[in-house]
Amino acid sequence: MITIKLNGKDQTLPDASVVNDLFLILGAEGKNVAVVVNETIVRPENRSSHRLQDGDQVEILAFAGGG
Amino acid sequence: MKASPEWLTAGDRDSEALAAMLAPCSAEALELETLAAESRAITLRRFGRTMSLYAPLYLSNYCSSGCEYCGFASDRTTLRRRLEPDELDRELLAMKRLGISDVLLLTGERTGQAGFDYLQRSVERAARHMQRVTVETFPMSVAEYRALADCGCTGVTIYQETYDRGRYEAIHRWGPKKDFVQRLETPARALEGGMKTVGLGVLLGLAEPVADALSLYRHVRHLGRTWWRAGLSVSFPRIRPQTGGYQPPFPVGDRFLARMIFAFRIALPDVDLVLSTRESAAFRDGMAGLAITRMSIASRTTVGGYDEPDRAEPGQFDISDDRSAEAFCAALRARNIEPVFKNWEPAYNGPSGVSLQDDVVSEAHPCP
Amino acid sequence: MDVYHLGPQAFSSRLILGTGKFSSASVMLEAVKASGAELVTVALRRFNREQAGDDLFGPLSAIKGITLMPNTSGASTAAEAVRAARIARELSGSPFIKVEIHPNPQHLMPDPIETYEASRILAKEGFLVMPYIAADPVLAKRLEDVGCASVMPLGSAIGSGQGLGTADMLGIIIRESGIPVIVDAGLRSPSEAAAAMEMGCAAVLVNSAVAAAGNPVEMAAAFAGAVIAGRKAFHAGLMPQSRTAVATSPLTGFLGTNA
């Protein structure tokens, strides 16, 4: 098991988890989101292969209302 | 032939307001008194009861251009000479004795006798004596303007003379000044070279004055928007009698000139408006406090002329207000206006627009 | 066609709508449609299961003729804003970025120094930078110098509904600017938007005034009409205000009578 920070909260995951696995946890499947792992943007085409490491800081972001 | 720039040729909202003020014949013409009152109120608010004073010093009357209207045009028989370094020092000292500390150095078009190197040496010398040195000479390159700024020149006066391109090309019969667009772009080059102020103007009498006034206004606005750090001034020279006997085809009367000056003050509340000794004592005294914020005093339009004022030789044009510096200042004070001789501190000399390059925030790391 | 340009892009609607503070996404979307806006702002937020409706990209993009302008709200430094801008571009594909940096979450006043730095960097990276700033004429020129596509000075404090409290400074900015000036923040009523347009600004951005109105959709339409009216008035040219002479003795008596 590994532990990462997902949108600021601790999240435990099986070893060998990839970015796409996080969408299930957040309910973000099919949503238009940006993924940033340790300050680096992970593009959609890399999300099924990008392996998460213990201690990763992950932000999943979307557009919300704003002025 | 290079086309005139769009800022000059395209109409704009701003100049429409000016056009309305300049139309003395229309049925709804704003009364001159009304414009004068508004102009006076703006001038008082923005500039107070002060008048900044300068004096011109002709370094040389050599010239390579053939401007029909000018007493120094290259086909005039005027005796040609230039001030040598020791003469220049004497002239500057004589000016200082009159109280002058703001000098405008003048030459004709670029010649072998009075070219850039001569001008640069003269600026250097003048900057040792004077608080503020500006030039009204030939158009230069950006690099030349920067070099002048480096040795103490803070401003450039360069009149387009007329913005009517057809008239311009007709009256500038030969020489480098014939190129309309090259001259039009000179103030921007001066500012790019680090000059802190530029002075613009049209020589009234050469072409239809309302059109020229509107173009002049567009030029000021264009420069103000692009070179927003620059100090801008506008002068209102009218053609004076001079060697060669040129008769202006569009003579401008006192009332139109006054209307134009009031309109510029209202349209350009923050800009220095300049009136020289080409104008009469009565006109200058009247305009002080109403709109004009900068005037020349005790002017000579001959080469030199301050050290040996009695030397009679023809100048570039005849002056009209020939009062002494003392008499002129007394007249200003009588109108409750304070003459200001020092309006600049040379500690601030040097090219403008050069700021510290040290980045406040380092460039963020680009994301892959 | 009366359009204004932001970088290479031309817009005919001069009303930009913010999408925050609405009671629901569906009201917001209806308001956007009613406003006729072609440019709308959105904010970048952490995706949250409880507010899964937050993903506004799809529904907004589905409205015809809409370009998204993400903002950097939440950033309190230039570095944070630059990071947010890059992520937002990834998400939106839009070159527009509203640089909005407020270090103090109470009054939300924009930080001029951080805003300048972020704008300079983002303009170099090819963004169409739209900085939200205090109504400061010098800052506006500095931002123009570093390549911003517009400047967006505030009419009054964001969300305050105090209207054009900065009118004098806005007048200077509009007069001196070589890029479009968009009045952003502080407007409450359509008449204020019309007044801003009459002054000659290129567009106005409103959010709270619509989102917090009794009927946001109707208010969006009201702003749309006001912006069109104000623009027309500017274009037509207002009549001059009367100039009244005050002198008791003539000021121009020294002049002769020749023309």
Side-chain angles (χ1 to χ4, degrees):
Chain A
M1 297 292 273
I2 58 168
T3 303
I4 65 162
K5 276 262 195 254
L6 176 58
N7 283 357
K9 289 183 194 147
D10 284 335
Q11 177 74 46
T12 312
L13 299 169
D15 292 336
S17 291
V18 293
V19 166
N20 267 348
D21 298 332
L22 300 173
F23 294 163
L24 213 61
I25 296 167
L26 276 182
E29 313 96 313
K31 301 286 186 183
N32 193 62
V33 294
V35 179
V36 183
V37 177
N38 303 331
E39 306 274 304
T40 301
I41 294 171
V42 181
R43 296 232 155 92
E45 61 270 24
N46 299 327
R47 290 175 188 167
S48 56
S49 56
H50 189 108
R51 187 79 71 84
L52 295 165
Q53 310 291 329
D54 193 52
D56 274 354
Q57 306 268 344
V58 182
E59 295 284 337
I60 295 185
L61 304 153
F63 283 138
Chain B
M1 198 169 64
K2 206 167 165 184
S4 298
E6 200 190 329
W7 59 256
L8 178 59
T9 53
D12 61 293
R13 172 60 34 77
D14 280 359
S15 57
E16 286 167 24
L18 185 69
M21 290 188 275
L22 291 176
C25 300
S26 86
E28 294 167 357
L30 298 160
E31 279 307 309
L32 196 56
E33 273 293 315
T34 313
L35 292 180
E38 187 170 349
S39 171
R40 182 176 70 162
I42 293 169
T43 306
L44 186 62
R45 257 196 324 264
R46 175 63 177 77
F47 296 88
R49 300 182 187 280
T50 62
M51 181 69 66
S52 87
L53 302 176
Y54 73 100
L57 175 60
Y58 283 73
L59 296 173
S60 152
N61 60 2
Y62 288 99
C63 194
S64 55
S65 272
C67 312
E68 260 182 6
Y69 49 83
C70 178
F72 289 164
S74 64
D75 60 340
R76 308 280 190 259
T77 55
T78 317
L79 176 74
R80 305 292 165 162
R81 71 184 201 97
R82 69 174 201 188
L83 294 178
E84 298 306 329
D86 55 325
E87 292 176 292
L88 178 55
D89 279 340
R90 282 203 298 276
E91 292 290 341
L92 291 163
L93 289 171
M95 293 173 89
K96 272 174 95 166
R97 283 195 294 274
L98 298 174
I100 294 160
S101 72
D102 184 336
V103 66
L104 173 67
L105 301 178
L106 296 98
T107 71
E109 274 301 323
R110 198 186 290 250
T111 55
Q113 292 87 351
F116 178 75
D117 291 343
Y118 170 77
L119 179 63
Q120 187 178 24
R121 286 196 302 276
S122 303
V123 165
E124 242 163 11
R125 205 162 269 273
R128 278 183 227 149
H129 297 283
M130 294 285 171
Q131 302 281 352
R132 182 160 184 262
V133 180
T134 58
V135 300
E136 181 171 354
T137 62
F138 42 85
M140 288 171 250
S141 67
V142 172
E144 287 173 327
Y145 281 121
R146 189 161 293 277
L148 281 195
D150 275 330
C151 57
C153 178
T154 62
V156 167
T157 297
I158 182 117
Y159 302 149
Q160 188 63 25
E161 319 295 11
T162 175
Y163 291 85
D164 177 333
R165 192 165 181 167
R167 287 287 300 143
Y168 183 94
E169 284 162 1
I171 54 190
H172 297 103
R173 296 168 298 171
W174 60 78
K177 195 165 170 179
K178 210 172 170 47
D179 188 335
F180 178 81
V181 175
Q182 149 82 6
R183 187 152 185 105
L184 199 60
E185 291 169 345
T186 301
R189 279 203 307 284
L191 292 168
E192 195 180 341
M195 288 297 153
K196 295 175 199 300
T197 62
V198 289
L200 306 185
V202 288
L203 187 51
L204 294 162
L206 294 179
E208 199 288 302
V210 172
D212 257 349
L214 294 174
S215 298
L216 170 61
Y217 174 76
R218 287 192 195 108
H219 200 175
V220 174
R221 294 282 293 124
H222 166 72
L223 290 174
R225 262 194 286 257
T226 314
W227 302 96
W228 56 274
R229 290 176 170 88
L232 300 171
S233 66
V234 175
S235 302
F236 302 90
R238 266 196 294 190
I239 291 185
R240 297 283 307 154
Q242 40 74 41
T243 314
Y246 182 74
Q247 290 302 316
F250 296 87
V252 165
D254 284 358
R255 294 184 75 80
F256 179 81
L257 179 57
R259 177 179 288 274
M260 179 174 167
I261 294 172
F262 298 148
F264 268 70
R265 169 54 66 228
I266 294 165
L268 298 167
D270 301 316
V271 162
D272 254 327
L273 301 183
V274 187
L275 202 60
S276 79
T277 54
R278 285 170 187 266
E279 297 302 334
S280 68
F283 191 83
R284 288 190 357 130
D285 288 357
M287 293 308 285
L290 292 187
I292 296 295
T293 52
R294 187 165 161 77
M295 285 189 181
S296 54
I297 48 166
S299 300
R300 307 282 180 267
T301 65
T302 52
V303 175
Y306 292 90
D307 185 41
E308 296 171 62
D310 298 330
R311 246 175 91 147
E313 62 182 58
Q316 190 189 22
F317 55 86
D318 292 350
I319 59 171
S320 174
D321 181 355
D322 59 0
R323 286 174 292 179
S324 68
E326 266 171 19
F328 180 64
C329 289
L332 286 178
R333 290 201 179 95
R335 293 177 169 264
N336 204 13
I337 293 170
E338 177 66 19
V340 174
F341 285 92
K342 182 184 168 178
N343 206 5
W344 181 250
E345 169 50 51
Y348 296 114
N349 282 357
S352 72
V354 182
S355 57
L356 299 175
Q357 291 301 307
D358 192 10
D359 284 349
V360 180
V361 173
S362 60
E363 310 274 331
H365 304 291
C367 290
Chain C
M1 184 76 167
D2 179 37
V3 298
Y4 74 105
H5 287 84
L6 296 170
Q9 281 180 244
F11 293 91
S12 54
S13 167
R14 292 171 182 271
L15 176 59
I16 302 173
L17 204 62
T19 58
K21 298 190 186 173
F22 282 88
S23 55
S24 72
S26 60
V27 172
M28 182 275 288
L29 292 168
E30 286 310 306
V32 169
K33 286 180 203 159
S35 73
E38 295 168 314
L39 202 51
V40 297
T41 56
V42 288
L44 206 53
R45 291 284 178 267
R46 281 175 171 166
F47 189 86
N48 176 334
R49 177 186 282 281
E50 285 69 48
Q51 289 168 304
D54 259 6
D55 174 19
L56 295 181
F57 180 83
L60 280 172
S61 303
I63 301 174
K64 198 165 156 278
I66 290 281
T67 300
L68 292 187
M69 176 164 69
N71 69 27
T72 63
S73 67
S76 59
T77 66
E80 287 170 9
V82 167
R83 204 180 307 135
R86 290 170 181 152
I87 295 167
R89 179 158 66 177
E90 178 74 17
L91 204 48
S92 66
S94 164
F96 287 100
I97 188 74
K98 176 180 170 185
V99 174
E100 184 176 351
I101 304 177
H102 20 67
N104 178 325
Q106 275 78 52
H107 57 49
L108 299 174
M109 283 296 167
D111 182 323
I113 296 165
E114 301 294 321
T115 300
Y116 175 82
E117 275 307 306
S119 298
R120 189 176 66 81
I121 293 166
L122 292 169
K124 261 200 260 177
E125 292 183 11
F127 283 90
L128 295 175
V129 181
M130 315 272 286
Y132 164 62
I133 57 171
D136 176 340
V138 172
L139 180 60
K141 290 306 282 185
R142 293 293 301 256
L143 288 163
E144 180 179 343
D145 284 352
V146 297
C148 289
S150 78
V151 284
M152 304 210 292
L154 51 81
S156 51
I158 195 166
S160 70
Q162 297 292 313
L164 295 171
T166 59
D168 288 352
M169 294 297 120
L170 290 174
I172 297 174
I173 294 173
I174 291 166
R175 191 176 149 83
E176 301 304 328
S177 183
I179 52 178
V181 177
I182 296 167
V183 172
D184 179 1
L187 301 188
R188 172 167 175 263
S189 68
S191 61
E192 291 159 357
M197 296 307 297
E198 285 165 11
M199 289 173 67
C201 71
V204 297
L205 192 159
V206 291
N207 187 341
S208 304
V210 171
N215 180 337
V217 179
E218 199 172 4
M219 189 58 84
F223 268 98
V227 166
I228 290 167
R231 175 65 191 173
K232 269 199 176 140
F234 171 75
H235 203 263
L238 303 177
M239 75 171 242
Q241 280 175 318
S242 73
R243 300 173 195 273
T244 311
V246 291
T248 48
S249 57
L251 297 170
T252 55
F254 64 94
L255 296 172
T257 49
N258 62 335

